[in-house]
Amino acid sequence: IEADPQNPEAYYWKAVNLGLYRDMKRYSFRGGLTGGEIKEGFQEAAALDEKGLYGAYHMRLAEYLMARGDIEEAKKHATHAVDIEPRFLYNQIVLAEVLWENGDKAGSKGRLEYITSQPEDVLPSEILENREIIEKAKRILRDFKEGEDPDW
């Protein structure tokens, strides 16, 4: 950040790594997303490049806000991330989880069904991540069919 304070990815990756560190050290729950400076990093990244990294800045803000219990604000950011890049399926699954947490089970299920209908190369640069998200969505849909709460 010192070398290039206008680089949105610097703020984003600092926030991600802080979350990973906090999770690894068990300082907080939900992937470490409840610690200090994390929200600010994602917000700064989004302010510098609204559509950067396929909307991941907003997607991560949604995860952070969901971890903090602010589901309505999380929904705004998750929806915005999907609007920026719907083919980045990580955005889609975060929105599905936000919808579930907001009580919109049908909307969540519909989003998961959309994910499973997509080819893994829908966004060629993210094929590996999309493949993982498609498999996760299939597993969660199986949980739904068995009457279990999803393990996001």
Side-chain angles (χ1 to χ4, degrees), residues 62-79:
E63 288 185 313
Y64 174 89
L65 292 162
M66 193 168 29
R68 302 289 293 183
D70 190 348
I71 303 302
E72 284 303 316
E73 197 64 23
K75 184 177 175 184
K76 291 176 191 174
H77 284 283
T79 300

Side-chain angles (χ1 to χ4, degrees), residues 17 35 59 96 105 111:
N17 286 318
M59 177 265 295
K105 310 294 191 227
R111 190 66 52 182

Side-chain angles (χ1 to χ4, degrees), residues 16-143:
V16 167
N17 286 318
L18 279 169
L20 291 171
Y21 177 79
R22 293 180 67 80
D23 184 45
M24 182 179 69
K25 295 293 186 180
R26 304 285 186 241
Y27 291 143
S28 63
F29 63 94
R30 192 169 173 81
L33 285 174
T34 57
E37 293 186 58
I38 295 171
K39 179 180 180 183
E40 293 81 5
F42 295 141
Q43 287 175 321
E44 186 64 27
L48 288 168
D49 184 3
E50 179 68 19
K51 297 182 179 184
L53 294 181
Y54 307 119
Y57 307 150
H58 290 282
M59 177 265 295
R60 295 292 184 193
L61 267 169
E63 288 185 313
Y64 174 89
L65 292 162
M66 193 168 29
R68 302 289 293 183
D70 190 348
I71 303 302
E72 284 303 316
E73 197 64 23
K75 184 177 175 184
K76 291 176 191 174
H77 284 283
T79 300
H80 191 54
V82 168
D83 289 345
I84 291 169
E85 185 51 83
R87 298 172 302 160
F88 185 46
L89 299 181
Y90 204 111
N91 291 343
Q92 296 280 353
I93 204 155
V94 169
L95 180 55
E97 184 176 3
V98 169
L99 292 171
W100 176 269
E101 293 297 326
N102 199 38
D104 183 0
K105 310 294 191 227
S108 178
K109 184 179 178 200
R111 190 66 52 182
L112 292 165
E113 289 168 344
Y114 170 82
I115 292 167
T116 61
S117 74
Q118 298 302 300
E120 60 188 27
D121 64 350
V122 65
L123 186 60
S125 65
E126 301 303 316
I127 191 169
L128 295 176
E129 189 151 339
N130 279 348
R131 181 181 300 151
E132 181 181 322
I133 295 301
I134 291 167
E135 289 306 311
K136 183 177 182 177
K138 287 177 182 177
R139 180 183 46 76
I140 292 169
L141 284 170
R142 279 192 302 271
D143 290 347

